[in-house]
Structure formats: structure tokens, C-alpha cells
Amino acid sequence: HHIYQDNYYNSVSTSEILLKNKTRVCGTIRENHGLPNQLKLKSKNLQRGEMTFLQKGEVILLIWKDKRLVCMVATIHDASIAPTGKEDRRTGHQNTKPTCTLEYNEYVKGVNRSDQYLANLKI
């Protein structure tokens, strides 16, 4: 099974437990949920579009800089980069993102949208 989850539920230890039980995970992760200081330090000087990662066994921790830092944990993906299909308006270059970020966005799109709608309901 594959689980895509947001940063509220994700941690390195959760990913390792799920992996032992043959369930792969991908999702955002909060900096205080198990990101090593080494990775945090490496991410301080990232420019937009750059990334850094660490791997422990099959668990990958990745930080990618877009408008802000995006922290990911995955046991489904590697640290590969893929084209988004869009061009940067300023440079004309093809935009790229980590594969785990692209797939995460694809699979949680509907959940995030329904959460937005529910947050706007006045009951």
C-alpha cells in the first residue's frame, strides 16, 4: 500500500514503522518531526529550485526550495527531479520539482480542496 499524508501525521519513525509493515509513505514533514540538524543546516543556503536530501535505508528526507522550504519524507520515491510541464515566466526555462513533490500534489489535491471548502463553511 501507498499512503500520502500531510505534515501533521508524518515523522521519520512513523515512516520506518509503516515500511516494516509493507506500507510505503510519502508526504510533507515538519522540521521538528525528526529532520536531522545536518539536513536543516544544508537547507539554509538553498536557492529557489534547489534541493538537498539525506537517505537512511529506504527513507528519504528531502528539502526543496520553492517560494519557501518544502520538507518531504518518502519511502516510495527517490530524490529524482522531474519536469513540471510549465515554463518559468522570467527565465523561459522548464520548471522542475522533486518527483515526490509532484506525486504528493497529485494525490492529495482532492483532500486539500475538500478541507478548504469545509473550513469556509459556517455552521
Side-chain angles (χ1 to χ4, degrees), residues 7-123:
N7 63 27
Y8 186 78
Y9 299 102
N10 255 341
S11 71
V12 175
S13 58
T14 301
S15 299
E16 290 173 334
I17 291 168
L18 287 169
L19 187 60
K20 285 179 185 174
N21 289 293
K22 299 180 182 171
T23 301
R24 301 231 172 225
V25 67
C26 174
T28 55
I29 186 171
R30 294 179 182 186
E31 286 188 35
N32 60 354
H33 281 205
L35 285 184
N37 287 332
Q38 177 186 3
L39 187 61
K40 292 178 193 178
L41 288 173
K42 289 169 88 176
S43 70
K44 288 202 184 290
N45 298 321
L46 290 178
Q47 300 299 314
R48 189 171 185 164
E50 294 180 338
M51 76 164 191
T52 185
F53 70 94
L54 288 176
Q55 185 169 355
K56 179 184 174 188
E58 293 186 62
V59 178
I60 290 184
L61 294 167
L62 178 140
I63 299 179
W64 174 66
K65 175 89 180 233
D66 192 24
K67 293 177 185 172
R68 56 185 167 79
L69 292 177
V70 177
C71 304
M72 303 287 294
V73 61
T75 57
I76 300 171
H77 307 96
D78 56 13
S80 61
I81 300 279
T84 63
K86 297 179 182 177
E87 285 186 0
D88 187 323
R89 286 182 271 143
R90 292 172 284 154
T91 63
H93 289 55
Q94 178 75 16
N95 284 339
T96 58
K97 286 185 179 181
T99 305
C100 60
T101 304
L102 288 171
E103 288 198 15
Y104 173 80
N105 289 339
E106 179 182 334
Y107 288 111
V108 299
K109 189 182 333 179
V111 174
N112 284 342
R113 214 172 268 139
S114 67
D115 287 346
Q116 286 174 341
Y117 292 145
L118 290 172
N120 291 327
L121 288 176
K122 294 179 182 174
I123 300 176

